[in-house]
């Protein structure tokens, strides 16, 4: 197992559209296991393959406190969404330190495949419903900050670019010391 590198907004690769998985083999099982390890390590409640630069429709989610309900959602489809909407304060591992309200369907029913290629359906509300919609957006190349106003988004972009520059400088110094 390995911890994968998470792309940071505004990396253009976060906007690639993920392709469906066609072969459910060991490679997919390894990807799911590595994504789960990466999500737990971060820590986060969900992770989309797009965030680790793999542009295939694979998501892992575990919204439980004790990290006991890991589930993979491969080629997920929303087959029903409640007319009721809810605003939830969202965060994203690709936009660390930024939290803001996003309006989503309060409940969704999703159909997907697990890592063994077995189809399942699941109805979700609360944080799980939010997370499913947030991760499925990643697969479409969409990051939650794109729901915010252009003013907020541009501020976030500037902050992320500045942090990136500082991180790069710190890394260079660290390497130079060896
Ligand atoms: O860890 C995460 N927490 C979270 C909180 C509120 C709404 C959505 C999320 S998903 C996020 C992990 C992540 O970035 N997944 O793509
Ligand atoms: Ni995210």
């Amino acid at each position: 197992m390995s911890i994968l590198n998470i792309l940071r907004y505004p990396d253009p690769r976060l906007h690639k559209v993920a392709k469906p998985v066609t072969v459910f083999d060991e490679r997919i099982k390894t990807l799911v296991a590595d994504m789960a390890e990466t999500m737990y390590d971060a820590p986060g409640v969900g992770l989309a393959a797009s965030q680790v630069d793999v542009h295939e429709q694979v998501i892992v989610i575990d919204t439980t406190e004790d990290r006991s309900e890991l589930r993979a959602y491969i080629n997920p489809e929303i087959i029903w969404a409640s007319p009721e909407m809810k605003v939830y304060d969202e965060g994203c591992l690709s936009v660390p330190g930024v939290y803001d309200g996003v309006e989503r369907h309060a409940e969704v029913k999703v159909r997907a495949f697990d890592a063994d290629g077995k189809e399942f359906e699941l109805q979700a509300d609360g944080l799980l419903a939010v997370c499913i919609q947030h991760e499925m957006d990643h697969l479409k190349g969409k990051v939650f900050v794109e729901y915010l106003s252009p003013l907020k988004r541009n501020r976030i972009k500037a902050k992320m670019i500045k942090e990136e520059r500082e991180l790069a400088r710190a890394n260079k110094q660290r390497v130079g010391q060896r």
Side-chain angles (χ1 to χ4, degrees), residues 1-99:
M1 300 241 287
S2 27
I3 289 168
L4 308 170
N5 180 50
I6 300 176
L7 299 179
R8 292 166 61 101
Y9 183 79
D11 193 308
R13 290 170 291 182
L14 285 170
H15 303 303
K16 286 196 185 183
V17 177
K19 294 192 168 67
V21 168
T22 52
V23 186
F24 290 81
D25 56 5
E26 279 308 307
R27 185 183 69 90
I28 293 298
K29 286 191 180 158
T30 302
L31 174 62
V32 165
D34 288 347
M35 284 175 60
E37 193 182 2
T38 306
M39 170 185 76
Y40 287 133
D41 175 72
V45 295
L47 190 72
S50 319
Q51 293 177 276
V52 294
D53 203 21
V54 175
H55 303 284
E56 296 177 58
Q57 295 176 15
V58 179
I59 290 167
V60 292
I61 298 178
D62 186 351
T63 54
T64 63
E65 200 78 52
D66 61 350
R67 327 251 67 192
S68 61
E69 281 175 37
L70 175 67
R71 195 172 244 120
Y73 301 74
I74 301 173
N75 302 347
E77 273 181 89
I78 301 276
I79 54 175
W80 174 83
S82 67
E84 190 201 338
M85 308 293 282
K86 245 188 188 146
V87 176
Y88 197 98
D89 233 0
E90 297 194 13
C92 181
L93 294 173
S94 295
V95 201
V98 174
Y99 301 87

Side-chain angles (χ1 to χ4, degrees), residues 24 57-59 61 71-79 109-123 132 136 139:
F24 290 81
Q57 295 176 15
V58 179
I59 290 167
I61 298 178
R71 195 172 244 120
Y73 301 74
I74 301 173
N75 302 347
E77 273 181 89
I78 301 276
I79 54 175
K109 201 167 171 181
V110 64
R111 179 186 295 148
F113 295 85
D114 66 17
D116 297 316
K118 191 175 181 308
E119 195 178 40
F120 66 93
E121 286 181 12
L122 182 141
Q123 186 154 340
I132 289 169
M136 285 184 68
L139 299 182

